[in-house]
Amino acid sequence: MSSRNNNNNNVPFVKIVYSTVKINGKIELVPMEWYADGSVKKIER
């Protein structure tokens, strides 16, 4: 398990998950951070 924490409420980071998004007619995978409380956050590049 990673030691990274969500900056908003210190919930432990669990893993990276991917969401599918259709952009310009193409399906792309968008990486998201999944936290122990079930919340997800888009990874900023």
Side-chain angles (χ1 to χ4, degrees), residues 1-5 10-11 13-14 17-18 20-21 23 25-27 30 32-34 36-37 39-41 43-45:
M1 183 180 284
S2 175
S3 61
R4 284 172 49 183
N5 287 329
N10 294 326
V11 175
F13 172 76
V14 178
V17 295
Y18 290 88
T20 56
V21 178
I23 301 173
K26 295 188 333 186
I27 295 176
V30 177
M32 309 281 280
E33 294 178 340
W34 179 34
D37 67 351
S39 65
V40 292
K41 178 181 167 190
I43 295 174
E44 300 298 327
R45 296 182 191 195

